[in-house]
Amino acid sequence: TLSEVKYRPNTDAEPLSEHGPQSGDQVRNEKLVEELRANGAFEDPAKNVVRENALDKVEKIVFEWVKDVSDRKGIDFTEETKHKACKVVPFGSYCMGVHSSDSDIDVLCIVPLHIDRGDFFAEVPAILSSAPGVSHIHSVPDAFVPVIKFDCDGVDVDLRCPRARDAMPG
C-alpha cells in the first residue's frame, strides 16, 4: 500500500489546508488511484528501498568529497561540526512522493562557501566513475542549471551543487 512507502522529507512546511476531502473528492480519488495502480504508476516498496539506498550512497560520496576538498583548502571540521561539511537534500517529485517508478531523484549537495562549482565539476564526475554501482555519468556544467546526471544502482540521479550563503544548516 502507499502508506508502507516512506519518503525522505526536506521541509518543515505546513499544509495549505487542514480541511479534509469531501465525499465526492474521496470517490474520485479512489477511482484515480485504482486507474494509476492498474497502469503501474506506483512504485513498490522494494524499489523505494533501492532509491533510498542509492540516495544514501550519493550522500556518502559527496560528504567524503567535501571533507577532502576542505582538508586540501585548510578547512578543518571538528568532531562536533563534521556533520555540517555538506547537506544532501532531495527535492522534486521523489521527496514529495509523487514520482513514477522510472523517475529520477533530484538532489542538492549544499556545500560551504570555500567549495565552488569548479571544484564540483572538476572532481565529482571522476569520483562517481570510480564508485561501485555508478554509471552513465554526464556532466553539464554550462547548463542554465548545472548538473551531473548519473545512474546509481539502477536509479537515475540529477545532482546539483549550490553553495550555502552562511554557516551550513545543522
Side-chain angles (χ1 to χ4, degrees):
T1 67
L2 292 177
S3 62
E4 295 172 352
V5 177
K6 301 285 188 243
Y7 300 99
R8 186 181 295 193
N10 71 350
T11 180
D12 295 323
E14 295 296 318
L16 295 176
S17 171
E18 294 186 9
H19 300 290
Q22 297 176 357
S23 61
D25 295 330
Q26 291 173 328
V27 169
R28 286 186 292 278
N29 186 64
E30 288 170 14
K31 286 181 181 179
L32 176 60
V33 168
E34 185 178 304
E35 185 65 26
L36 290 170
R37 254 190 236 293
N39 287 289
F42 292 119
E43 182 172 75
D44 67 39
K47 176 68 176 173
N48 190 64
V49 169
V50 171
R51 283 179 183 274
E52 278 296 312
N53 289 339
L55 193 53
D56 288 342
K57 181 185 278 190
V58 170
E59 188 170 37
K60 287 177 184 149
I61 291 169
V62 296
F63 184 79
E64 286 303 314
W65 168 71
V66 168
K67 287 193 328 186
D68 289 346
V69 173
S70 299
D71 287 345
R72 288 195 311 265
K73 292 186 176 189
I75 308 294
D76 291 323
F77 289 101
T78 66
E79 195 62 34
E80 294 80 35
T81 62
K82 71 179 182 180
H83 68 282
K84 294 182 178 185
C86 74
K87 183 139 179 101
V88 174
V89 181
F91 68 101
S93 62
Y94 175 68
C95 72
M96 294 187 319
V98 295
H99 64 287
S100 64
S101 57
D102 61 349
S103 294
D104 65 2
I105 300 178
D106 296 302
V107 181
L108 296 176
C109 171
I110 305 170
V111 298
L113 284 175
H114 64 271
I115 297 177
D116 61 33
R117 185 181 298 166
D119 297 323
F120 180 69
F121 285 101
E123 299 178 24
V124 173
I127 294 168
L128 290 169
S129 69
S130 66
V134 177
S135 62
H136 301 97
I137 301 159
H138 184 70
S139 181
V140 191
D142 297 324
F144 184 72
V145 180
V147 63
I148 299 174
K149 297 172 163 284
F150 57 96
D151 179 286
C152 182
D153 297 330
V155 177
D156 289 331
V157 178
D158 287 357
L159 182 63
R160 293 161 183 89
C161 186
R163 294 165 65 195
R165 289 193 317 193
D166 299 313
M168 291 298 296

